[in-house]
Amino acid sequence: MEKCSQAPEHVLLVDCPDRPGLVHAVTGVLFRAGANVTSNHEFVDAETRRFFMRTACDGLLDAPAVEAAVAAVLPEGAQVHFRRAVPRRIVVLVSREHHCLADLLVRHAYGELGADLVAVASNHEVLRPLAEKFSVPFHHVSHEGLGREAHEEALLALIGPLKPDFLVLAKYMRILSPRFVSAWPNRIVNIHHSFLPAFVGARPYHQAFQRGVKVIGATAHFVSDQLDEGPIIMQQVIPMDHSYSPHDLARAGRDIERTVLANSLRLLNEDRVFLCANRTIIFD
Amino acid sequence: MEKCSQAPEHVLLVDCPDRPGLVHAVTGVLFRAGANVTSNHEFVDAETRRFFMRTACDGLLDAPAVEAAVAAVLPEGAQVHFRRAVPRRIVVLVSREHHCLADLLVRHAYGELGADLVAVASNHEVLRPLAEKFSVPFHHVSHEGLGREAHEEALLALIGPLKPDFLVLAKYMRILSPRFVSAWPNRIVNIHHSFLPAFVGARPYHQAFQRGVKVIGATAHFVSDQLDEGPIIMQQVIPMDHSYSPHDLARAGRDIERTVLANSLRLLNEDRVFLCANRTIIFD
Amino acid sequence: MEKCSQAPEHVLLVDCPDRPGLVHAVTGVLFRAGANVTSNHEFVDAETRRFFMRTACDGLLDAPAVEAAVAAVLPEGAQVHFRRAVPRRIVVLVSREHHCLADLLVRHAYGELGADLVAVASNHEVLRPLAEKFSVPFHHVSHEGLGREAHEEALLALIGPLKPDFLVLAKYMRILSPRFVSAWPNRIVNIHHSFLPAFVGARPYHQAFQRGVKVIGATAHFVSDQLDEGPIIMQQVIPMDHSYSPHDLARAGRDIERTVLANSLRLLNEDRVFLCANRTIIFD
Amino acid sequence: MEKCSQAPEHVLLVDCPDRPGLVHAVTGVLFRAGANVTSNHEFVDAETRRFFMRTACDGLLDAPAVEAAVAAVLPEGAQVHFRRAVPRRIVVLVSREHHCLADLLVRHAYGELGADLVAVASNHEVLRPLAEKFSVPFHHVSHEGLGREAHEEALLALIGPLKPDFLVLAKYMRILSPRFVSAWPNRIVNIHHSFLPAFVGARPYHQAFQRGVKVIGATAHFVSDQLDEGPIIMQQVIPMDHSYSPHDLARAGRDIERTVLANSLRLLNEDRVFLCANRTIIFD
């Protein structure tokens, strides 16, 4: 298994209606193409009756030809991707909190992020020195004096040319409009500092304190039109007790926020995340 | 520390407005009374400025006299209890699911529950054989043909004479009226099969499946007038993935539901749980 | 996915040297046999270069014929099993502690164990009433006055005719001889009350206390000739602090011991556990 | 409670043989000195019969006078410290791995470490750029061509004048001699990449892989003469499965190594850690 010891050369991704014989058909194409399969995952979602498959393989392969050949043995409407496993480009959006960004920068600097962190954009200046320590371009796109629409236009004008595969909201504290979100369907990842769906919206640690929970969490999820309602990629929790103030909860929570966000990006970058209704299928 | 290796003979519980010198004053009373303190916990809640203290001690003590002497050194309005550490009486309410009840019965049978399980009451017959295996009286109080009020009257008529210290809802699937709840203020404990406040109400595992969470939980809490809104005593979680159906979530969740419920009762029975606003202070 | 919502009708298990095309070959046999595959897992162990596969399927199938046909497309020396998914027979060995046995009995009584608990055997009488509450035969095989060999002979004479698929040591406190173990290769499961390989041998909670660990664990593993050295099936841990006496550690540990043991048996009974060197491959 | 929302002005630490009336006596001294107690923890170790107490307080206090007055009411041989809560000085030793150091540097840069990270020393040059990004002095003390004794002399010559309160081994891969360790009794903290006492010594992730554990851990502990045998401060674990290579285990483990180390330093810096036999008492 490649896992992450060593990236595979290619990854095949299939998402289609289920029917008998799919695995046999797909693996037949790969076998005939001379692919050396290093890992294979399949799943059929009982609710939607969709079939999901991820196959990592090595070998001298003609990617477009393999993709077409796989598509030819699948039901109509199948989504098939066969791509070289190259790092994805990400742009990170931040506001004032440093911990998630710092974590991504360190992993990036040491080749552990998987992705290529091409730029940081922020509505504040405060994290510029951090990004620049790691030689990652930092762009300040102030929201001062701008309406949301105008601010998002400015962001889009900056981000568009960078051609990111994913936008990563690493404690970006502004709500994105449906219009902005729709420009990056299922390509914006957010880290929310609660165990969603508990404590949607602002100040989740204060909400958690008031509710007196004994466990707090962090959730990485895709951003959709509905605030904090997008498909969940990863969640992690830590125990709490009555002695934690909201400030303590925030401190403790930072340790899981950054871990959850970075590991979610690893999954995304390795093409391990499929969408199914408002849920994710994750082949890890 | 006594913890649970060996129950202490007495427990002192204090809940009062904070002011300097409280620990010194209270421990002075105990020292002069000849108490041998085996453990001591204090906490001041920053929000309410209330002081909480639990002291376990041994020795030949005149409990009412000690209680009065402690009260005399505390601010007005202090709640003081000094009591012999005897097992509390509990009545367990169930519906059809056996796993929490079975767990409580086994612990009770082997002296590990801490509490005295005096009876089981249910709106169904199905768990009678289980209770009777362990020689615990089982009372069927059917709700058929009765309105909620009449059913609760019947329950109260049964439970009242049993003089329980706590009512334990071990997967009791009917919602209790505010009138019923008010008869046992902060003395009804429920196990809810989610990580509250996520998935309040019915069918939390189905809700969890639809939302696609990656962690599920169980919550033991006091029952208040607001459904699933009472103070939380204990929470525990387990990781999930996309392959779990709602049925699988329910199966996996049972393992934590019963553990959380039983351990919450241990805390209650050992007088380790204080209420503070809608939160609990737990000295474990 | 069947997971456990609904047991599949058949399970195919393959363990063989890896080579290209195995998945294609095996799924081809199943497809041609008219099997309806409901879940599929494969793994190649990087160290041993062995290929493992578990496929659950439904359909009117001739099991021996399918097994032979699968074997025919695999490398020499392949282990292939295609079997109807019927509950396995287990015999449980205990000594004096009740908590794991009680848990298995309750799950068995409510159809949640997956396995068929055919008998309990013990070197003590103390748990007889518990087994008999649940109408499971209890056999006292005293070790008093017997050497280890003679005692094991007596055990074997009892257990052999019961034809169990697995022996389950649910806090059985005697060490089994290599001779006994070799009679049930990889078919004896033990629950050890520590996070192995920490605290091998006797009194692990006392060892844990002395070492001052901040986490304790439980380990379900196959029994091999080497004490506590067999392949690990499942482990679970819980946090500790300095206030836990060895007695408290034991109490807290019981909650995970029984959960780990029962869930390990679910995995075994559903044919989800493969052996690979001294490790397990688990398709859950 | 101060926890970490706001550092207290002073902390009182008591470690002495237990006897009745200690809490009363100590709190009496503080009350008469006009201290405003913000949190209070006590514990009596059942095995050693020693009493431990940590009290955080504010107020215009004459620290040496309070310390002397507390000592006067305690049994002979009591260890009493009453000190202003100022950040401790730490020197971090590293080899080639960056993740723990990066984490400490980021926390330090943003005022979240609690301690004052005065220098980094290493037997390699490779982490110099990382330390220098954060303007922390980096000292290369090569071991090449030196025996262990000579190398440690060089280290001591560097570190001594820096007057650290604690030495932190953040993946420092050389074993320290008893002579070196004895120069900093209970003041050297190490992060070990396993759940001690499992996998003592070199290459714990390879050991974990070979043993086939289903959980891996990280342990922060004081360094003593015995390799990996010193008192444990904090441990954390994460679940594993068969698909993790040793390389994957190492990657996953890094997430907990750095979190455990940083949080252990927070505990130390806030004077929350007491030693008792080979165990720690932690008031958090």
Side-chain angles (χ1 to χ4, degrees):
Chain A
M1 300 300 284
E2 94 287 6
K3 199 107 192 179
C4 79
S5 322
Q6 205 174 321
E9 291 173 12
H10 293 90
V11 180
L12 170 69
L13 308 169
V14 174
D15 171 354
C16 68
D18 191 28
R19 76 175 182 204
L22 289 174
V23 175
H24 181 60
V26 171
T27 52
V29 172
L30 294 173
F31 183 61
R32 289 187 293 272
N36 176 32
V37 172
T38 55
S39 85
N40 212 25
H41 289 90
E42 310 104 39
F43 180 70
V44 175
D45 182 64
E47 202 179 52
T48 60
R49 301 309 308 166
R50 287 193 79 82
F51 169 85
F52 299 90
M53 182 172 185
R54 177 191 185 275
T55 302
C57 51
D58 298 337
L60 289 168
L61 301 168
D62 177 345
V66 173
E67 185 172 296
V70 170
V73 300
L74 294 177
E76 232 175 296
Q79 297 176 33
V80 184
H81 298 279
F82 189 83
R83 68 176 207 89
R84 287 194 63 79
V86 292
R88 301 299 182 86
R89 294 170 63 83
I90 64 171
V91 169
V92 177
L93 270 66
V94 297
S95 289
R96 294 168 164 283
E97 288 180 79
H98 68 281
H99 58 287
C100 287
L101 177 60
D103 189 71
L104 298 178
L105 289 167
V106 169
R107 291 178 196 252
H108 186 243
Y110 287 92
E112 294 176 341
L113 185 59
D116 192 8
L117 202 174
V118 295
V120 177
S122 178
N123 55 328
H124 293 283
E125 267 289 352
V126 66
L127 295 177
R128 177 184 297 277
L130 180 59
E132 294 185 345
K133 269 189 219 312
F134 290 92
S135 307
V136 171
F138 180 92
H139 304 279
H140 179 202
V141 183
S142 176
H143 61 273
E144 298 219 8
L146 298 181
R148 183 191 294 184
E149 198 174 331
H151 184 242
E152 291 188 350
E153 291 280 338
L155 274 180
L156 285 171
L158 167 73
I159 298 169
L162 298 170
K163 295 190 187 306
D165 294 297
F166 294 105
L167 290 192
V168 177
L169 311 186
K171 307 294 285 182
Y172 181 68
M173 303 310 277
R174 290 173 65 86
I175 295 171
L176 297 171
S177 71
R179 187 165 149 275
F180 187 98
V181 171
S182 67
W184 310 88
N186 297 318
R187 290 166 57 197
I188 308 179
V189 179
N190 183 47
I191 180 71
H192 185 78
H193 41 309
S194 87
F195 173 74
L196 286 176
F199 311 131
V200 165
R203 293 166 58 90
Y205 290 128
H206 283 80
Q207 293 183 53
F209 174 78
Q210 291 300 338
R211 183 62 189 91
V213 290
K214 301 301 187 186
V215 175
I216 59 166
T219 303
H221 64 100
F222 288 109
V223 175
S224 68
D225 283 7
Q226 305 300 102
L227 181 63
D228 299 334
E229 296 280 344
I232 292 169
I233 303 169
M234 187 179 284
Q235 298 188 293
Q236 204 177 321
V237 297
I238 41 175
M240 285 303 101
D241 66 41
H242 59 267
S243 72
Y244 284 73
S245 67
H247 182 274
D248 296 324
L249 294 176
R251 171 187 56 74
R254 284 193 289 268
D255 286 346
I256 51 174
E257 288 172 30
R258 56 187 191 163
T259 304
V260 166
L261 181 59
N263 282 290
S264 296
L265 293 183
R266 178 180 63 78
L267 294 173
L268 277 174
N269 192 65
E270 295 177 1
D271 290 305
R272 296 180 181 279
V273 183
F274 288 77
L275 282 166
C276 178
N278 199 45
R279 294 171 277 118
T280 58
I281 311 287
I282 294 184
F283 292 138
D284 193 18
Chain B
M1 299 298 284
E2 95 287 7
K3 199 109 191 177
C4 77
S5 321
Q6 204 174 323
E9 291 173 12
H10 293 90
V11 180
L12 170 69
L13 307 169
V14 173
D15 171 353
C16 69
D18 190 29
R19 74 174 183 204
L22 288 174
V23 175
H24 181 60
V26 171
T27 53
V29 172
L30 294 172
F31 183 62
R32 289 186 294 271
N36 176 31
V37 172
T38 54
S39 84
N40 212 25
H41 289 90
E42 310 104 37
F43 181 70
V44 176
D45 181 64
E47 202 179 52
T48 60
R49 301 307 310 166
R50 287 194 78 84
F51 169 85
F52 299 90
M53 182 172 184
R54 178 191 185 273
T55 302
C57 51
D58 299 337
L60 289 169
L61 300 168
D62 176 346
V66 172
E67 185 171 297
V70 170
V73 301
L74 294 177
E76 231 174 297
Q79 296 176 34
V80 184
H81 297 280
F82 189 83
R83 68 176 207 90
R84 288 194 63 78
V86 291
R88 300 299 183 86
R89 295 169 64 82
I90 64 171
V91 169
V92 178
L93 269 67
V94 297
S95 289
R96 295 168 162 284
E97 289 180 78
H98 68 280
H99 58 288
C100 286
L101 177 60
D103 189 71
L104 298 178
L105 289 167
V106 169
R107 292 178 196 251
H108 186 243
Y110 287 92
E112 293 176 342
L113 185 60
D116 192 8
L117 203 173
V118 295
V120 177
S122 179
N123 55 328
H124 294 282
E125 267 290 352
V126 65
L127 295 177
R128 177 185 297 278
L130 180 60
E132 293 185 347
K133 270 189 218 313
F134 291 92
S135 308
V136 171
F138 180 92
H139 305 278
H140 180 202
V141 183
S142 175
H143 61 274
E144 299 219 7
L146 297 181
R148 181 190 296 185
E149 199 174 329
H151 184 243
E152 290 188 350
E153 290 281 338
L155 273 179
L156 283 171
L158 168 73
I159 298 169
L162 298 170
K163 296 190 186 306
D165 293 297
F166 294 105
L167 290 192
V168 177
L169 311 186
K171 308 293 286 182
Y172 180 68
M173 302 311 277
R174 290 173 65 87
I175 295 171
L176 297 171
S177 72
R179 188 165 149 274
F180 186 98
V181 170
S182 68
W184 311 88
N186 298 319
R187 290 166 57 196
I188 309 179
V189 179
N190 183 46
I191 180 71
H192 185 78
H193 41 310
S194 87
F195 173 74
L196 285 177
F199 311 130
V200 164
R203 293 164 59 88
Y205 290 129
H206 283 80
Q207 293 183 53
F209 174 78
Q210 291 301 337
R211 183 62 189 91
V213 289
K214 301 301 187 184
V215 175
I216 60 166
T219 303
H221 64 100
F222 288 108
V223 176
S224 68
D225 283 7
Q226 306 299 103
L227 180 63
D228 299 334
E229 296 280 344
I232 292 170
I233 303 169
M234 189 180 284
Q235 299 188 293
Q236 205 177 320
V237 297
I238 41 175
M240 285 303 102
D241 67 40
H242 59 268
S243 73
Y244 284 73
S245 67
H247 182 274
D248 297 324
L249 294 176
R251 172 188 55 73
R254 285 194 288 268
D255 286 346
I256 52 173
E257 288 172 30
R258 56 188 191 162
T259 304
V260 166
L261 181 58
N263 282 290
S264 296
L265 293 182
R266 178 181 63 78
L267 295 173
L268 277 174
N269 192 65
E270 295 177 0
D271 290 304
R272 296 180 181 280
V273 182
F274 288 78
L275 281 166
C276 177
N278 199 46
R279 295 172 276 120
T280 59
I281 311 287
I282 295 184
F283 292 139
D284 192 18
Chain C
M1 298 296 285
E2 94 287 6
K3 199 107 192 181
C4 79
S5 322
Q6 204 173 322
E9 290 172 13
H10 293 91
V11 180
L12 170 70
L13 307 169
V14 173
D15 171 353
C16 69
D18 191 29
R19 76 174 180 204
L22 288 174
V23 175
H24 181 59
V26 172
T27 52
V29 172
L30 293 173
F31 183 61
R32 289 186 293 273
N36 176 33
V37 172
T38 55
S39 84
N40 211 27
H41 289 91
E42 310 103 39
F43 181 70
V44 176
D45 182 63
E47 201 178 54
T48 60
R49 301 307 310 165
R50 286 193 80 83
F51 169 85
F52 299 90
M53 183 171 182
R54 177 191 186 272
T55 302
C57 50
D58 300 336
L60 289 169
L61 301 168
D62 176 347
V66 172
E67 186 171 296
V70 170
V73 301
L74 295 176
E76 233 175 295
Q79 297 176 34
V80 185
H81 297 280
F82 189 83
R83 69 174 206 91
R84 287 195 61 80
V86 292
R88 301 298 183 84
R89 292 170 65 83
I90 64 171
V91 168
V92 177
L93 270 67
V94 297
S95 289
R96 296 170 161 281
E97 289 181 77
H98 69 280
H99 57 288
C100 286
L101 176 60
D103 189 72
L104 298 178
L105 289 167
V106 169
R107 291 178 196 251
H108 185 243
Y110 286 92
E112 295 177 339
L113 186 58
D116 192 9
L117 203 174
V118 296
V120 177
S122 178
N123 55 329
H124 294 283
E125 267 290 353
V126 65
L127 294 177
R128 177 184 297 278
L130 180 59
E132 295 186 344
K133 269 189 221 309
F134 290 92
S135 307
V136 170
F138 180 92
H139 305 277
H140 180 203
V141 184
S142 177
H143 61 272
E144 298 220 8
L146 298 180
R148 181 190 297 186
E149 199 173 331
H151 183 243
E152 290 188 349
E153 291 281 339
L155 272 180
L156 284 171
L158 167 72
I159 297 169
L162 297 171
K163 297 191 185 306
D165 294 296
F166 295 104
L167 291 190
V168 178
L169 311 186
K171 308 293 286 183
Y172 181 68
M173 303 310 278
R174 290 173 65 85
I175 294 171
L176 297 171
S177 72
R179 186 165 150 276
F180 186 97
V181 170
S182 67
W184 311 88
N186 297 319
R187 289 166 56 196
I188 309 179
V189 179
N190 182 46
I191 180 72
H192 185 78
H193 42 310
S194 86
F195 173 76
L196 286 176
F199 312 130
V200 165
R203 293 166 58 90
Y205 290 128
H206 283 80
Q207 294 183 54
F209 175 78
Q210 292 301 336
R211 183 62 189 91
V213 290
K214 302 300 187 186
V215 175
I216 59 167
T219 303
H221 63 100
F222 288 108
V223 176
S224 68
D225 283 7
Q226 305 300 102
L227 180 62
D228 300 334
E229 296 280 344
I232 292 170
I233 304 169
M234 189 180 282
Q235 299 188 293
Q236 204 176 319
V237 297
I238 40 176
M240 285 301 103
D241 66 42
H242 59 268
S243 72
Y244 284 73
S245 68
H247 181 274
D248 297 323
L249 294 176
R251 172 188 55 74
R254 285 194 288 268
D255 286 346
I256 52 173
E257 288 172 30
R258 55 186 192 163
T259 303
V260 166
L261 181 57
N263 282 290
S264 296
L265 294 182
R266 177 180 64 79
L267 294 173
L268 277 173
N269 192 65
E270 297 178 0
D271 290 304
R272 297 180 180 280
V273 182
F274 288 77
L275 281 166
C276 177
N278 200 43
R279 296 172 276 121
T280 58
I281 311 287
I282 295 184
F283 291 138
D284 193 17
Chain D
M1 299 298 283
E2 92 288 4
K3 200 107 192 177
C4 79
S5 322
Q6 205 174 322
E9 290 173 12
H10 293 90
V11 180
L12 170 69
L13 307 169
V14 173
D15 171 353
C16 68
D18 191 29
R19 75 174 182 205
L22 288 175
V23 175
H24 181 60
V26 172
T27 53
V29 172
L30 293 173
F31 184 63
R32 289 187 292 273
N36 176 32
V37 173
T38 54
S39 84
N40 212 27
H41 289 90
E42 308 103 40
F43 181 70
V44 176
D45 181 64
E47 201 178 54
T48 60
R49 303 306 311 165
R50 287 193 78 84
F51 169 85
F52 298 90
M53 183 172 183
R54 177 190 186 274
T55 302
C57 51
D58 299 337
L60 289 169
L61 301 167
D62 176 346
V66 172
E67 185 171 296
V70 170
V73 301
L74 294 178
E76 233 175 294
Q79 296 176 34
V80 184
H81 297 280
F82 189 84
R83 69 174 206 91
R84 287 194 62 79
V86 291
R88 300 299 182 86
R89 293 170 64 82
I90 63 171
V91 169
V92 178
L93 269 67
V94 296
S95 288
R96 295 169 162 284
E97 288 181 77
H98 69 278
H99 57 288
C100 286
L101 176 61
D103 189 71
L104 298 178
L105 289 167
V106 168
R107 291 178 196 251
H108 186 243
Y110 286 91
E112 295 176 341
L113 185 60
D116 192 8
L117 202 174
V118 296
V120 177
S122 179
N123 55 328
H124 293 283
E125 267 290 351
V126 66
L127 294 177
R128 178 185 295 279
L130 181 60
E132 295 186 344
K133 268 189 222 310
F134 290 92
S135 307
V136 171
F138 180 91
H139 305 277
H140 180 203
V141 184
S142 176
H143 61 272
E144 298 217 11
L146 298 180
R148 181 191 296 186
E149 199 173 332
H151 184 244
E152 290 188 348
E153 291 281 338
L155 272 180
L156 284 171
L158 167 73
I159 297 169
L162 297 171
K163 297 191 184 306
D165 294 295
F166 294 104
L167 289 190
V168 178
L169 311 186
K171 308 294 286 181
Y172 182 68
M173 303 309 279
R174 290 173 66 84
I175 295 172
L176 297 170
S177 72
R179 187 166 149 274
F180 186 97
V181 171
S182 67
W184 311 88
N186 298 320
R187 289 166 55 195
I188 308 179
V189 179
N190 183 46
I191 181 72
H192 185 77
H193 41 310
S194 87
F195 174 74
L196 287 176
F199 312 130
V200 164
R203 292 166 58 89
Y205 290 128
H206 283 80
Q207 293 183 54
F209 174 78
Q210 292 301 336
R211 183 62 189 89
V213 290
K214 301 301 187 186
V215 175
I216 60 167
T219 303
H221 64 100
F222 288 108
V223 175
S224 69
D225 283 7
Q226 305 300 102
L227 181 62
D228 300 332
E229 295 281 345
I232 292 170
I233 304 169
M234 188 180 284
Q235 299 188 294
Q236 205 177 318
V237 297
I238 41 175
M240 286 301 102
D241 66 41
H242 59 268
S243 72
Y244 284 74
S245 67
H247 182 274
D248 297 323
L249 294 176
R251 171 187 55 74
R254 284 194 289 268
D255 286 346
I256 53 173
E257 288 173 30
R258 56 186 191 162
T259 303
V260 166
L261 181 58
N263 282 290
S264 295
L265 294 182
R266 177 180 64 78
L267 295 173
L268 277 174
N269 192 66
E270 297 177 0
D271 290 304
R272 297 179 180 281
V273 182
F274 289 76
L275 282 166
C276 178
N278 200 45
R279 295 171 276 121
T280 58
I281 312 287
I282 295 185
F283 292 138
D284 193 17

